[in-house]
Amino acid sequence: MTKQGIITAKTNNGIAIQGYEGSFHQVAARSFFGKTVAVIPCASFRELIQIAGDAKRSAGAVMAIENSIAGSILPNYNLLQKSKLKVVGEIYLSISQNLLVNPGVRLEDIKEVHSHPMAILQCLDYLEQYPWKLVETEDTALSAKLLHQHRSKHTAAIASKLAAELFQLEIIAPDIHTMKNNITRFLVLKRAGTFEADAHANKASVYFQTSHDKGALSKVLTKIAAGGINLSKLQSMPIPGSHFKYGFYADMEFEHQKQFNQVLMSIESLTNNVKIFGVYTKGKLIKG
């Protein structure tokens, strides 16, 4: 049983993640499944969904869905909608960017800093104190891996603490990001039939459409509020093939599942194409 109360199927397959080993996706996977979980790096979120849906290739996936600074990752909602995967948990990861070097390297030895452009941007206030050349790369964790492989004495990388651990690097400057409240939310995805219902569930992710009459969405939201449900997220997305009509992704928080079921019944006549992505325990914030 995991920390979130989900009982997983017995399998030798790993968990699909986007990016390389040492990425924040792997940090999130470890926080949910434990430090010994095997991960399957994927080049894209589309590949992640494909591998997660294949019983011969994985036991599921961990996928980023939104960030407190950049907002929702809209393409991932579409990927989730088209898949048959279920959300069985979530992780809120406080992103910590660190300056990594090979053992023995000092700040005065550094001439270049390599990392993903977003990570560099997040750390500019720190980096601009020094006359370093900033080199944009494909991935933070890959930058750390290449730094280790090349044994450079004049290059540093910006990456996670896990990357430092995996590639035997030293953290010469921790937490160099400017905005400290940088949190990414990850969804834990499983195939139907590979997990048991979460007895402690207090959150659900759903999708629904409404008619496009005046006040239709307002009526749905009123029913949700009347049922004592906290609507912690409401994300509109265009309905493919329609003329600017929208469906809605919603996260609902509740005290017990009966309460959630009653609310679903109350909005049944006001909605269509309802899809429940998953019912699970609300995730806790952890430091990456």
Side-chain angles (χ1 to χ4, degrees), residues 5-242:
I6 301 298
I7 300 175
T8 56
K10 292 182 179 179
T11 176
N12 294 322
N13 294 328
I15 298 298
I17 61 169
Q18 192 275 327
Y20 295 83
E21 285 190 276
S23 69
F24 290 107
H25 269 78
Q26 185 175 9
V27 177
R30 282 185 163 203
S31 75
F32 192 90
F33 293 102
K35 291 185 177 181
T36 60
V37 64
V39 294
I40 305 168
C42 300
S44 67
F45 287 114
R46 184 174 296 276
E47 182 185 4
L48 177 150
I49 291 292
Q50 291 172 345
I51 290 177
D54 189 341
K56 295 181 180 179
R57 303 175 71 185
S58 80
V62 169
M63 181 178 75
I65 198 69
E66 61 180 318
N67 176 266
S68 61
I69 297 174
S72 298
I73 307 175
L74 298 182
N76 287 4
Y77 280 98
N78 282 331
L79 289 172
L80 186 60
Q81 171 77 343
K82 294 175 182 178
S83 79
K84 295 181 180 180
L85 296 167
K86 292 292 186 180
V87 179
V88 301
E90 65 178 358
I91 305 106
Y92 290 90
L93 186 67
S94 179
I95 303 299
S96 173
Q97 302 288 10
N98 308 277
L99 191 66
L100 313 183
V101 295
N102 280 302
V105 173
R106 302 166 299 173
L107 279 175
E108 53 265 35
D109 298 324
I110 299 172
K111 295 181 180 179
E112 294 184 0
V113 177
H114 296 199
S115 197
H116 187 277
M118 186 58 69
I120 291 175
L121 185 63
Q122 291 171 354
C123 303
L124 271 183
D125 284 358
Y126 174 84
L127 296 171
E128 287 179 343
Q129 300 177 84
Y130 302 93
W132 298 332
K133 180 181 178 181
L134 306 181
V135 180
E136 296 183 353
T137 63
E138 177 186 346
D139 185 85
T140 55
L142 178 61
S143 300
K145 182 177 182 178
L146 293 177
L147 177 64
H148 167 70
Q149 290 177 342
H150 295 160
R151 305 290 184 180
S152 173
K153 294 183 179 180
H154 301 293
T155 303
I158 300 171
S160 68
K161 292 180 180 178
L162 176 59
E165 175 188 329
L166 293 178
F167 303 121
Q168 295 86 52
L169 300 173
E170 292 181 351
I171 299 176
I172 198 170
D175 299 329
I176 64 171
H177 46 287
T178 301
M179 296 191 69
K180 303 307 179 185
N181 190 31
N182 181 9
I183 299 167
T184 298
R185 178 185 175 216
F186 296 84
L187 299 179
V188 182
L189 307 175
K190 287 274 192 175
R191 293 179 299 276
T194 64
F195 63 95
E196 294 183 8
D198 187 347
H200 304 287
N202 56 8
K203 188 171 183 179
S205 294
V206 304
Y207 172 84
F208 63 87
Q209 297 174 7
T210 67
S211 70
H212 296 278
D213 299 330
K214 185 176 181 180
L217 177 60
S218 178
K219 292 177 182 177
V220 174
L221 300 184
T222 298
K223 291 285 188 181
I224 293 173
I229 295 269
N230 177 33
L231 193 65
S232 58
K233 183 177 181 65
L234 184 65
Q235 178 73 53
S236 63
M237 289 285 287
I239 299 172
S242 71

